[in-house]
């Protein structure tokens, strides 16, 4: 019996090891670059490009990023043991640090969640990566201004004989000109499952040829009036109906609620209702002029489309639709929630707005979520989304015995 010891045979035996080493090195390098950019951007948002994707991905998916980093670490170790010693050692250390950095983000967010009493579900963290497949219990038309039907999705708790529930009318995000009420289905269904009726509404969206500064806030007033009028049908306590929204929807909700309290707005259709019991703004624009000036992630375009021009062209319109213009004593109880990494709605604008409300004696709660960007609740299962829902639920049910 003889053994083939020829150079060709030796090369054939080493070839699979070389291929594996190269494959591990290439994949580990790609993953290392990806997780490094995300983790660095999450910690240092001022870094160009990485500071855009980092807070979004690192803030909503820190545990997923940690797992990817650990996979990269394992691949780097394989390449290291296959002969790429210096490179493998370097990438192993780098990806291990990235995994640790991502886990720290998750740990900080977990602590924040527990601090507000959130019953954290790690199952949702890993499975609910976007909007859930939730459907409303009913869809109705709440108004038809100018013949344009405006719809509302009702998400309702199970009825309990002799008991009426609190409710919230929610306006969707989208820079005043895009998206619709279906974006609220996850939050709305979760609220209903926890005893609060949620009514997700559409409103007239702005276009380049149709500004809606004098339409969209009035639509929310009509929606609030419709829910108040139909409270008994839906088992809702008419004295505990709140008005809220996300991003531009939060701006509209605060503008409509405060102007209702101050008597400077009417419904687009139907009788003008009484002011809401409270108002909610998730990462809202508090000053539309500031939105135009900051010009971050399309805020200038949104402000111009909404108002029909620039602040110099229409100063009265910008002033009328900005919640900052209506700060005074006697406004409804207010909840403001923003992420500390938000580029579109800078957190200091929200905290300053909250301070201004408090100075006027308005009962105001401001929550700043760690490592959270704009629209931090897009990933329904993320820790920031779970935390914000708990904060919202506690706010809406604070007066329950």
């Amino acid at each position: 019996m003889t053994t083939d010891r020829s150079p060709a045979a030796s090369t054939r035996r080493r070839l699979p090891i070389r291929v594996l080493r190269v494959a591990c090195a290439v994949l580990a390098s790609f993953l290392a670059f990806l997780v490094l950019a995300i983790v660095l951007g999450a910690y240092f948002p001022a870094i160009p490009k990485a500071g855009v994707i980092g807070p979004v991905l690192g803030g909503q998916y820190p545990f997923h990023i940690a797992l990817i980093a650990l996979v990269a670490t394992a691949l780097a170790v394989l390449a290291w043991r296959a002969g790429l010693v210096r490179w493998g050692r370097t990438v192993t250390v780098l990806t291990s640090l990235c995994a640790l950095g991502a886990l720290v983000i998750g740990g900080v967010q977990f602590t924040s969640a527990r601090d507000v009493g959130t019953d954290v579900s790690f199952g949702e963290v890993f499975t609910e990566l976007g909007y859930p497949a939730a459907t409303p219990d009913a869809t109705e038309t709440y108004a038809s201004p100018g013949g344009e039907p405006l719809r509302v999705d009702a998400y309702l708790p199970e009825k309990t004989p002799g008991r009426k529930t609190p409710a919230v009318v929610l306006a969707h995000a989208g820079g005043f000109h895009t998206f619709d009420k279906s974006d609220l289905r996850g939050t709305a269904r979760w609220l209903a499952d926890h005893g609060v009726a949620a009514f997700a509404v559409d409103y007239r969206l702005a276009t380049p040829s149709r500004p809606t500064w004098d339409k969209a806030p009035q639509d929310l007033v009509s929606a609030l009036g419709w829910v108040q009028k139909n409270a008994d049908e839906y088992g809702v306590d008419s004295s505990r109906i709140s008005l809220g929204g996300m991003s531009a929807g939060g701006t509209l909700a605060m503008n409509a609620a405060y102007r209702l309290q101050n008597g400077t707005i009417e419904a687009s259709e139907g009788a003008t209702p009484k002011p809401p019991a409270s108002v909610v703004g998730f990462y809202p624009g508090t000053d539309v002029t500031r939105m135009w000036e900051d010009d971050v992630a399309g805020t200038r375009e949104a402000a111009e489309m909404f108002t029909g021009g620039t602040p110099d062209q229409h100063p009265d319109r910008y002033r009328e639709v900005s919640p900052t213009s209506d700060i005074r004593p006697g406004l409804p109880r207010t909840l403001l929630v923003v992420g500390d990494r938000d580029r579109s709605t800078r957190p200091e604008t929200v905290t300053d707005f909250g301070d201004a409300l408090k100075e006027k004696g308005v009962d105001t709660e401001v929550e700043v979520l760690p490592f959270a960007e704009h629209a931090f609740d897009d990933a329904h299962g993320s820790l920031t989304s779970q935390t914000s829902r708990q904060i919202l639920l506690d706010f809406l049910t604070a007066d329950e015995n």
Side-chain angles (χ1 to χ4, degrees):
M1 179 177 177
T2 61
T3 302
D4 186 353
R5 298 180 181 274
S6 67
S10 179
T11 300
R12 286 195 298 272
R13 286 195 297 271
R14 290 197 298 267
L15 184 59
I17 297 176
R18 291 176 179 175
V19 171
L20 176 62
R21 181 175 65 185
V22 171
C24 289
V26 170
L27 184 54
S29 296
F30 170 76
L31 294 178
F33 175 78
L34 177 65
V35 296
L36 179 62
I38 292 172
V39 172
L40 281 178
Y43 279 93
F44 306 104
I47 298 176
K49 295 185 179 179
V52 176
I53 65 169
V56 175
L57 298 179
Q60 294 194 88
Y61 309 105
F63 297 107
H64 302 79
I65 302 304
L67 286 175
I68 294 172
L70 291 174
V71 169
T73 301
L75 291 170
V77 169
L78 288 175
W80 180 357
R81 298 186 64 178
L84 294 177
V85 177
R86 183 177 301 175
W87 177 92
R89 184 187 299 126
T90 301
V91 176
T92 297
V93 171
L94 182 64
T95 52
S96 296
L97 290 174
C98 287
L100 178 61
L103 289 174
V104 168
I105 293 173
V108 170
Q109 292 181 339
F110 177 76
T111 300
S112 176
R114 295 302 298 268
D115 285 346
V116 300
T118 307
D119 185 12
V120 174
S121 168
F122 280 100
E124 288 187 6
V125 167
F126 287 101
T127 59
E128 296 284 359
L129 305 184
Y131 296 122
T135 56
D137 296 295
T139 299
E140 302 290 346
T141 299
Y142 72 83
S144 298
E148 182 176 347
L150 299 174
R151 308 281 276 173
V152 52
D153 286 340
Y155 297 82
L156 306 171
E158 291 187 8
K159 288 189 176 181
T160 301
R163 181 180 180 273
K164 294 186 176 182
T165 66
V168 61
V169 179
L170 290 174
H172 63 83
F176 309 112
H177 64 92
T178 187
F179 303 152
D180 60 39
K181 55 184 169 53
S182 66
D183 288 348
L184 297 162
R185 61 185 181 271
T187 298
R189 172 52 65 201
W190 187 88
L191 287 172
D193 290 343
H194 289 78
V196 175
F199 296 85
V201 301
D202 281 333
Y203 49 85
R204 282 174 287 183
L205 299 177
T207 68
S209 60
R210 185 185 75 167
T212 55
W213 63 276
D214 59 345
K215 299 176 181 65
Q218 289 78 2
D219 292 341
L220 291 198
V221 174
S222 292
L224 176 65
W226 183 90
V227 174
Q228 290 178 356
K229 179 180 177 181
N230 293 278
D232 288 342
E233 178 181 347
Y234 292 107
V236 166
D237 183 345
S238 61
S239 68
R240 301 171 64 202
I241 301 174
S242 301
L243 184 60
M246 283 60 177
S247 193
T251 304
L252 295 173
M254 293 191 300
N255 179 248
Y258 295 164
R259 289 169 65 191
L260 265 177
Q261 186 68 48
N262 298 332
T264 59
I265 192 171
E266 296 180 351
S268 58
E269 185 174 287
T272 299
K274 62 183 180 181
S278 61
V279 60
V280 174
F282 272 34
Y283 40 92
T286 58
D287 186 335
V288 181
T289 300
R290 178 70 180 268
M291 291 174 57
W292 187 92
E293 292 171 347
D294 287 346
D295 191 21
V296 178
T299 57
R300 176 170 293 181
E301 178 187 11
E304 289 187 2
M305 200 177 298
F306 181 45
T307 62
T310 68
D312 287 339
Q313 292 173 312
H314 303 295
D316 292 343
R317 295 181 183 181
Y318 276 79
R319 185 166 49 251
E320 181 172 310
V321 296
S322 296
T324 50
S325 302
D326 286 287
I327 296 176
R328 63 194 66 187
L331 294 177
R333 192 166 62 96
T334 298
L335 170 66
L336 304 169
V337 185
V338 68
D340 67 357
R341 299 297 198 268
D342 199 322
R343 295 185 310 125
S344 301
T345 300
R346 301 188 186 278
E348 63 270 18
T349 66
V350 175
T351 55
D352 289 348
F353 181 75
D355 290 341
L357 288 171
K358 292 176 184 178
E359 289 178 2
K360 295 296 184 180
V362 180
D363 185 357
T364 305
E365 180 180 344
V366 182
E367 298 286 350
V368 181
L369 303 183
F371 290 101
E373 236 282 22
H374 200 72
F376 51 72
D377 49 349
D378 279 354
H380 185 75
S382 68
L383 288 177
T384 51
S385 187
Q386 293 188 47
T387 304
S388 66
R389 291 197 298 269
Q390 186 64 52
I391 291 170
L392 177 58
L393 177 66
D394 291 344
F395 179 80
L396 296 173
T397 59
D399 57 350
E400 290 186 347
N401 295 325

